[in-house]
Amino acid sequence: MSVAVVGGAGYIGAHVVDVLRARGEHVLVVDDLSTGDADRVPGLPLTRIDVTDPTQVAPLATAFRQHEVDAVVHLAARKRVDESVAHPTRYLRDNVAGLANVLDAATAADARTVVLSSTAAVYGTPDAAGAPVDESTPPRPENPYGTSKLACEWLLEAHARAHGVAATSLRYFNVAGAARPVLADRGTSNLVPIVLDRLRADRAVEVFGGGLTTRDGTPVRDYVHVVDVAEAHVVALDALRSGRDVPAVVNLGTGEGSTVLEVVRAVARVLGVEPRVDVVARRAGDPVSVVADVTLAGTALGWRARLRLEDIAADAVRCDAGLTPELTDSSR
Ligand code: WQD
């Protein structure tokens, strides 16, 4: 038995691979290396395939069979919100086709367990008052990226029903931090790496929106450590493989919100610098507050995030400096 991690050379995928390897699983990495990096997964079998290409379904099924893949974690997708707004067809086509092709290959190879990488972006703006959002909240994505992931969730549910596949979609909130320098999030538009770059360069951090109805006026998100997120995949795989009932969608967050200013301060504290911020206009389509209700992850999977914003900031800074974080947190 082995697990195929599609998109396994990406930031989150490589952390999933890491956790799987640490507990002795055989892992096949599938990645076209368009945004992924083979350096993140040294010494592992790597099948370089563009999963959006339908002619690659048969070669992918062959690779699955060769490696005796019984379970697939699918993370390969386009994930830039701004790009999705500019190119909706690209996002809908590529993200849905990628999943469809991987499911066809998995079925052909008789791999019957699937975990899908999904996102809090399916909720859009869940609640103006900032109450935590649970999985029963009707999804209302506000950008094509979120729409594409919702379509993927629905495709997976229909496929699972039709083919007796055990499957779940994990809705990540704001994933950040890293386990080792090589695995870190690079070339991204996400807040934590941006804050790091700015503070290191002694430049002000642009804060998208002030005067909001949050505790310090800046937007609130649920920042969850990538190692916790990776571990959730392994827990979900175990539950699915052992035939337990797993909900179709599960939120992965901490249940606690942090404002942009709190993130800036947390990173600045670790760097030992005094942060400068420029509050600028709100980014189009940015919700005021998105925080996960994580009850279901606890009851259905027995998973909860163990790390918090301080750990994310500390690990992101250390990895950025080329140092491997000391795993001294008592909860690890
Ligand atoms: C976080 C907060 C910004 C940059 C989206 C998707 C999600 C996931 C991550 C893919 C927001 C503020 C940011 C900056 C700022 N997608 N910000 N200054 O928008 O919450 O989530 O990207 O993998 O599914 O929905 O994440 O990191 O871009 O922003 O003030 O320079 O930081 O306004 O409040 P977001 P983000």
Side-chain angles (χ1 to χ4, degrees), residues 79 119 145 174 190-191 206-208 219 221 223 283 286:
K79 61 162 197 171
T119 171
Y145 166 67
N174 289 62
N190 290 134
L191 180 65
E206 287 190 339
V207 176
F208 300 152
R221 297 288 184 274
Y223 296 89
R283 198 167 55 178
D286 253 4

Side-chain angles (χ1 to χ4, degrees), residues 56-306:
Q56 298 303 301
V57 172
L60 187 57
T62 301
F64 285 170
R65 274 191 223 99
Q66 269 168 359
H67 291 271
E68 295 177 11
V69 168
D70 73 299
V72 178
V73 181
H74 181 70
L75 305 102
R78 298 184 180 277
K79 61 162 197 171
R80 288 194 59 127
V81 171
D82 52 349
E83 193 184 49
S84 82
V85 173
H87 303 285
T89 53
R90 187 184 298 169
Y91 268 68
L92 267 293
R93 184 193 301 117
D94 287 358
N95 287 355
V96 176
L99 175 63
N101 292 336
V102 167
L103 293 178
D104 282 346
T107 305
D110 207 26
R112 305 209 153 265
T113 299
V114 179
V115 175
L116 172 68
S117 156
S118 189
T119 171
V122 301
Y123 292 117
T125 304
D127 181 305
V133 56
D134 71 20
E135 295 83 349
S136 69
T137 306
R140 279 191 306 140
E142 287 172 13
N143 53 61
Y145 166 67
T147 308
S148 74
K149 284 290 182 167
L150 184 59
C152 286
E153 289 184 359
W154 288 352
L155 168 58
L156 181 58
E157 277 184 57
H159 175 85
R161 227 175 287 125
H163 296 281
V165 166
T168 189
S169 295
L170 302 178
R171 291 178 173 167
Y172 315 157
F173 283 64
N174 289 62
V175 184
R180 297 199 306 278
V182 70
L183 301 182
D185 192 9
R186 294 187 290 267
T188 146
S189 58
N190 290 134
L191 180 65
V192 172
I194 289 176
V195 170
L196 254 177
D197 279 357
R198 293 284 172 117
L199 295 184
R200 274 195 182 292
D202 196 22
R203 293 169 63 197
V205 178
E206 287 190 339
V207 176
F208 300 152
L212 307 177
T213 53
T214 60
R215 52 185 174 267
D216 62 20
T218 68
V220 169
R221 297 288 184 274
D222 187 332
Y223 296 89
V224 57
H225 199 294
V226 66
V227 170
D228 279 329
V229 168
E231 280 169 359
H233 290 70
V234 178
V235 173
L237 276 175
D238 282 348
L240 293 166
R241 274 168 154 175
S242 65
R244 273 173 37 210
D245 253 351
V246 177
V249 297
V250 181
N251 286 345
L252 297 185
T254 64
E256 289 170 20
S258 304
T259 68
V260 175
L261 288 182
E262 287 164 354
V263 173
V264 173
R265 277 194 217 107
V267 176
R269 208 174 300 129
V270 180
L271 286 173
V273 301
E274 202 53 52
R276 286 186 296 124
V277 296
D278 273 343
V279 178
V280 299
R282 244 172 109 179
R283 198 167 55 178
D286 253 4
V288 172
S289 178
V290 188
V291 178
D293 181 319
V294 292
T295 310
L296 188 63
T299 53
L301 297 176
W303 175 90
R304 67 178 176 85
R306 289 178 292 180

